[in-house]
């Protein structure tokens, strides 16, 4: 080794030694200061526990506990990654030093718009759903006596007593607010066909009722780290595949993590449209679940796991060509096709042959949902040959006629927006701030 190399080696060793010493000194001092700060924080937190403050939390995941322990103080030096949205919000709330009451003024009347939903999306049984740009409106008002009125699709079949799930949702909201539910008048304008596999009436009514009840009661819920509205709705429903997209919009994946329901959005590729064949007959969820076995084979489980992964990847990457593989299923579609919907698989093939990216049984059926591409801007000013929705709709209707199934074709799109308040008395808007639609 040359003298020059020895000199370089010695210099490198000296620099490394200096950096090591500096790092040790820094860590020692930080540990000491953290101990002091932790003791001070504990002193402060003990005084906060004596505050007579009530929170509006109906659920709080221990992982995101925003109590007054030292673990939630500003001395938390955990590195936040760009995706750590819930952790950032947890720290903001914790930095308030005490959680304030989140109640607001009770309202006299509220109207909520709620989207339809398409659950399962093929292999995502009870865990994947899509918000559909078809809407139902529910209006709930304080009244002298209980009353339910309805108009539109399914109005005649809708229960007009306390068994209506709209009432269930409103009552759940008042129970959450720990307030007695007053006599209320309910009015539903339904534009979602009843019992056709589009999330009506259960998910739309439950979510709309909960939101309406919370507004009337003047009660607000936490979202970050708890998704409390989702907890109420999914607990009533039993699964999140419909209520998650109804609440948040878009494609949603929902699971129960052992402690609470959790959901995440999957991107919906731009330019996609929803072409659905909606039969004239209804499909009861109880009957559709009744034809399913309680067990499946390992091969079928592996098949569905792979298809769900493929579906999510295709949506996230915008790879429309892979959607037809991603929506394949062995858990519920074959059984329901054989027992209830003989038109299903011929219609799926007809839609895909005509240019659809994919097609599947929407929810428990009987609606068949196809996704198409090519839409840009207002479709009525766009040349039809740039899109495939018309040819797909025609092919699906031809299959329906072959099987003697009467129904209609509806063309719409995914809704990136979930349920929302569109009218309230008294309004939230004021002379200083105007919310959307002057709500």
């Amino acid at each position: 080794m040359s003298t020059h190399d020895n000199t370089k080696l010695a210099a490198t060793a000296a620099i490394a030694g200096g950096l090591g010493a500096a790092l040790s000194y820094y860590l020692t001092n930080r540990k000491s200061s953290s101990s002091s700060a932790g003791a001070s924080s504990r002193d402060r937190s003990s005084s906060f526990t004596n505050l007579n403050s009530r929170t509006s939390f109906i659920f709080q995941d221990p992982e995101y506990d925003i109590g007054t322990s030292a673990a939630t103080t500003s001395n938390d030096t955990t590195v936040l990654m760009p995706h750590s949205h819930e952790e950032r919000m947890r720290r903001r709330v914790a930095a308030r030093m005490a959680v304030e009451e989140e109640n607001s003024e009770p309202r006299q009347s509220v109207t909520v718009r709620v989207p339809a939903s398409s659950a399962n999306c093929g292999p995502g049984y009870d865990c994947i759903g899509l918000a559909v740009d078809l809407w139902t409106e529910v209006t709930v008002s304080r009244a002298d006596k209980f009353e339910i009125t309805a108009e539109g699709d399914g109005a005649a079949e809708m229960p007009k007593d306390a068994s209506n799930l709209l009432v269930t949702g409103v009552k759940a909201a008042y129970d959450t607010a720990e307030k007695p539910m007053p006599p209320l008048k309910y009015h539903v304008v339904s534009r979602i066909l009843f019992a056709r596999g589009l999330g009506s009436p259960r998910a739309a009514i439950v979510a709309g009722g909960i939101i309406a009840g919370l507004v009337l009661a003047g009660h607000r819920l936490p979202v970050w780290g708890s998704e409390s509205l989702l907890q109420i709705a999914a607990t009533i429903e039993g699964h999140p595949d419909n209520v998650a997209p109804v609440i948040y919009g878009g494609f949603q994946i929902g699971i129960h993590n052992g402690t609470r329901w959790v959901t995440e959005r999957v991107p919906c590729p731009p330019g996609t449209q929803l072409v659905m064949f909606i039969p004239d007959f209804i499909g009861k969820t109880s009957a559709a679940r009744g034809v399913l076995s309680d067990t499946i084979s390992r091969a079928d489980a592996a098949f569905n796991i792979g298809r769900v992964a493929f579906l999510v990847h295709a949506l996230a990457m915008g790879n429309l060509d892979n959607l037809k593989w991603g929506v394949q299923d062995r858990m519920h579609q074959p059984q329901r096709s054989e027992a209830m919907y003989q038109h299903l698989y011929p219609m799926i093939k007809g839609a895909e042959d005509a240019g659809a990216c994919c097609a599947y049984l929407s929810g428990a059926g009987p609606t068949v949902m196809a996704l198409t591409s090519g839409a840009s801007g207002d479709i009525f000013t766009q040349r039809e040959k740039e899109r495939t929705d018309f040819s797909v709709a025609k092919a699906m209707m031809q299959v329906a006629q072959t099987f003697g199934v009467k129904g209609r074709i509806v063309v719409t799109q995914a809704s990136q927006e979930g349920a929302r308040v569109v009218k309230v008395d008294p309004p939230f808007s004021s002379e200083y701030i105007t919310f959307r639609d002057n709500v």
Side-chain angles (χ1 to χ4, degrees):
M1 182 180 293
S2 66
T3 302
H4 178 67
D5 290 337
N6 287 335
T7 302
K8 289 173 61 179
L9 182 61
T12 301
I15 293 172
L19 289 174
L23 181 60
S24 297
Y25 178 78
Y26 167 74
L27 291 175
T28 300
N29 284 346
R30 194 177 79 161
K31 181 177 180 181
S32 174
S33 65
S34 295
S35 298
S36 299
S40 174
S41 176
R42 286 191 294 273
D43 291 341
R44 290 198 306 271
S45 66
S46 63
S47 65
F48 296 143
T49 57
N50 295 325
L51 291 177
N52 186 24
S53 62
R54 186 173 76 83
T55 75
S56 61
F57 288 84
I58 64 159
F59 177 86
Q60 189 61 44
D61 193 329
E63 182 181 354
Y64 296 99
D65 185 11
I66 60 169
T68 54
S69 68
T72 62
T73 65
S74 59
N75 290 311
D76 189 345
T77 57
T78 304
V79 176
L80 292 181
M81 303 304 290
H83 61 271
S84 303
H85 308 299
E86 289 196 341
E87 175 63 16
R88 285 192 175 88
M89 184 58 68
R90 182 191 69 83
R91 293 190 186 184
R92 290 173 193 161
V93 176
R96 297 176 184 175
M97 309 301 288
V99 182
E100 76 271 16
E101 181 93 284
E102 290 289 351
N103 290 344
S104 60
E105 178 188 354
R107 260 61 190 178
Q108 295 299 313
S109 176
V110 59
T111 300
V112 183
R113 290 182 75 228
V114 191
S117 58
S118 178
N120 301 331
C121 301
Y125 185 76
D126 277 2
C127 63
I128 297 181
L130 167 67
V132 179
D133 193 18
L134 298 172
W135 299 82
T136 282
E137 286 190 359
V138 297
T139 299
V140 186
S141 308
R142 296 177 186 270
D144 295 330
K145 63 178 182 177
F146 173 89
E147 182 183 5
I148 296 181
T149 57
E151 59 182 288
D153 293 310
E157 297 91 343
M158 188 175 296
K160 305 301 191 298
D161 56 19
S163 66
N164 191 305
L165 289 173
L166 177 58
V167 181
T168 303
V170 173
K171 186 177 186 306
Y174 270 92
D175 288 345
T176 298
E178 298 181 354
K179 295 180 179 180
M181 188 170 77
L184 298 171
K185 178 180 179 179
Y186 306 81
H187 183 67
V188 180
V189 180
S190 178
R191 301 183 182 92
I192 306 172
L193 283 168
F194 178 80
R196 299 299 203 283
L198 294 171
S200 178
R202 292 192 62 91
I205 295 301
V206 167
I210 296 169
I211 293 172
L214 290 171
V215 172
L216 287 175
H219 194 73
R220 302 193 182 194
L221 298 174
V223 175
W224 293 96
S226 59
E227 296 184 276
S228 294
L229 177 56
L230 177 68
Q231 308 310 311
I232 306 174
T235 298
I236 295 173
E237 270 278 271
H239 41 83
D241 55 344
N242 277 309
V243 295
V246 164
I247 293 171
Y248 298 119
F251 271 101
Q252 295 286 335
I253 305 176
I255 64 168
H256 196 281
N257 66 5
T259 304
R260 67 177 175 94
W261 295 102
V262 182
T263 186
E264 289 288 345
R265 179 187 290 259
V266 181
C268 182
T272 56
Q273 287 184 280
L274 308 180
V275 181
M276 60 195 86
F277 173 74
I278 307 176
D280 288 344
F281 65 88
I282 67 172
K284 291 187 176 180
T285 302
S286 57
R289 286 184 177 269
V291 304
L292 305 181
S293 173
D294 290 335
T295 61
I296 61 172
S297 69
R298 182 179 300 175
D300 287 348
F303 181 94
N304 266 49
I305 291 170
R307 281 353 187 243
V308 167
F310 223 65
L311 171 61
V312 173
H313 183 270
L315 290 170
M317 301 303 294
N319 189 342
L320 302 180
D321 292 336
N322 279 346
L323 286 176
K324 64 180 179 180
W325 312 117
V327 298
Q328 291 179 337
D329 165 76
R330 288 184 183 174
M331 186 177 290
H332 69 102
Q333 289 188 160
Q335 297 88 330
R336 288 168 171 171
S337 173
E338 181 179 358
M340 304 173 70
Y341 312 129
Q342 285 75 29
H343 65 281
L344 174 60
Y345 279 106
M347 189 169 289
I348 288 176
K349 185 178 187 303
E352 292 179 349
D353 288 347
C357 301
C358 66
Y360 60 86
L361 181 68
S362 182
T367 294
V368 179
M369 180 77 71
L371 272 66
T372 66
S373 62
S376 182
D378 187 280
I379 63 171
F380 301 111
T381 61
Q382 181 185 14
R383 294 188 299 178
E384 286 185 0
K385 65 181 181 180
E386 294 181 345
R387 312 186 316 274
T388 58
D389 53 283
F390 185 79
S391 59
V392 169
K394 185 177 180 181
M396 295 173 77
M397 185 57 77
Q398 287 175 343
V399 172
Q401 291 171 350
T402 300
F403 280 80
V405 180
K406 294 183 178 180
R408 56 172 153 161
I409 296 287
V410 174
V411 179
T412 185
Q413 60 187 358
S415 174
Q416 300 307 312
E417 180 180 56
R420 69 181 183 91
V421 174
V422 295
K423 185 177 181 181
V424 64
D425 178 32
F428 290 107
S429 297
S430 66
E431 60 179 314
Y432 303 108
I433 182 171
T434 300
F435 291 100
R436 178 180 175 183
D437 297 331
N438 202 33
V439 171

